[in-house]
Amino acid sequence: MFPIQRPRRLRQTANLRRMVQENLLTVNDLIYPLFAVPGSSIAKEVTSMPGVYQLSVDKIVEEAKEVYDLGIPSIILFGIPDSKDDDATGAWHDCGIVQKAASAVKEAVPDLVVIADTCLCEYTSHGHCGYLEVGDLTGRVLNDPTLELLKKTAVSQAKAGADIIAPSGMMDGFVQGIRQGLDEAGFQDTPILSYAAKYASAYYGPFRDAAESAPQFGDRRTYQMDPANGREALKEVELDIAEGADMLMVKPALAYMDIIWRVKEITQLPVAAYNVSGEYSMVKAAALKGWVDEQKIVLETLTAFKRSGADLILTYHAKDAARWLKD
């Protein structure tokens, strides 16, 4: 008889399809990003990211409790300081906004895993991820002096209670520098989740509204990766592994699933995918217009990240996804 092979045999019922399903998205895979701001009782919605808010520390704690109750195991904290300067003081000061938020969350929800984004762009007056030459208007960050700032920032975040340090500035040697700084300060057991392959992407636009981190001049192409490059991502990943990274991240996720796959093929370390702001906002905008089924498209997309090799997914959809996965 023709055809002999009939793949549809295994698609006939819901239970049969469930039995042969190759990848499973669960709430354990999710990490929820939060934006901390000074003040109290503040919950300011980000115009370009419906459903995402800048939150004061008291509101961050409320959100953290909700996240934990939904079964989401982790949050990642970004901060918007009171003031910015060339030394990114708000990033590494013991009273910095991320430090305050991390301490408050760990006190209120001790079992929730708190990741601290370890970058400087939200805290510098020029919006770049480190020191610049005096008079520089191109945004070419001075690599080695910036490593000292990142070390100070990571140690300060760990002291405040952050469970995981996540450097995102794409400086050469930043994993080794931060590992050295953490070890010397007594935080040998604090893991590093490296933004190992972070591209200079147009998908970040709404995030820069949320974090108030847009560069005042130039761009970030001298330190973030060219979207045309794939092999270079593997080089960056191999360097970070050699420098002591415990986990690796690919950012963005949606247009870079080939990179997630290639990274997963060369390492046994956990690999995270960042479902970034532009990806989120496009779905939200289309859903608000009634053009797509938000629940179905979000769960399909997150499952695709799992299929491509991601072990963890940072996503602004995390709370909604957690609720949908329980239904």
Side-chain angles (χ1 to χ4, degrees), residues 23-228:
N23 295 282
L24 181 64
L25 176 71
T26 77
V27 69
N28 296 330
D29 304 320
L30 305 176
I31 299 169
Y32 189 49
L34 290 170
F35 298 93
V37 296
S40 61
S41 302
I42 295 171
K44 179 184 177 184
E45 189 169 27
V46 180
T47 304
S48 57
M49 298 180 71
V52 173
Y53 295 81
Q54 294 179 336
L55 301 168
S56 52
V57 171
D58 56 320
K59 294 292 185 181
I60 290 273
V61 169
E62 291 178 13
E63 196 79 352
K65 291 177 179 178
E66 181 181 358
V67 166
Y68 183 75
D69 288 343
L70 285 168
I72 298 168
S74 180
I75 60 172
I76 183 168
L77 292 172
F78 300 89
I80 300 97
D82 260 330
S83 59
K84 306 187 180 196
D85 57 39
D86 290 347
D87 293 317
T89 303
W92 50 263
H93 197 282
D94 288 343
C95 293
I97 187 62
V98 163
Q99 286 79 358
K100 289 180 178 179
S103 295
V105 170
K106 291 305 294 183
E107 182 176 354
V109 197
D111 291 335
L112 186 67
V113 176
V114 174
I115 304 171
D117 178 76
T118 307
C119 196
L120 307 173
C121 59
E122 299 104 311
Y123 308 94
T124 56
S125 51
H126 43 69
H128 283 284
C129 299
Y131 282 124
L132 303 180
E133 289 277 9
V134 175
D136 182 286
L137 293 178
T138 67
R140 186 177 181 276
V141 173
L142 300 174
N143 194 92
D144 295 2
T146 296
L147 295 182
E148 296 305 311
L149 282 182
L150 291 172
K151 288 166 67 173
K152 289 169 62 176
T153 301
V155 170
S156 177
Q157 292 169 338
K159 285 180 179 177
D163 298 294
I164 298 173
I165 299 301
S168 60
M170 289 299 288
M171 295 296 111
D172 293 340
F174 67 167
V175 171
Q176 182 174 329
I178 288 171
R179 183 74 273 157
Q180 180 184 9
L182 290 171
D183 290 355
E184 290 174 352
F187 295 101
Q188 296 91 340
D189 293 331
T190 300
I192 295 174
L193 166 58
S194 173
Y195 288 65
K198 181 178 179 180
Y199 285 84
S201 173
Y203 282 99
Y204 302 151
F207 175 91
R208 292 173 182 175
D209 295 336
E212 300 180 12
S213 62
Q216 299 301 301
F217 47 81
D219 57 40
R220 295 179 176 144
R221 293 180 182 274
T222 65
Y223 43 105
Q224 294 178 0
M225 290 178 53
D226 185 340

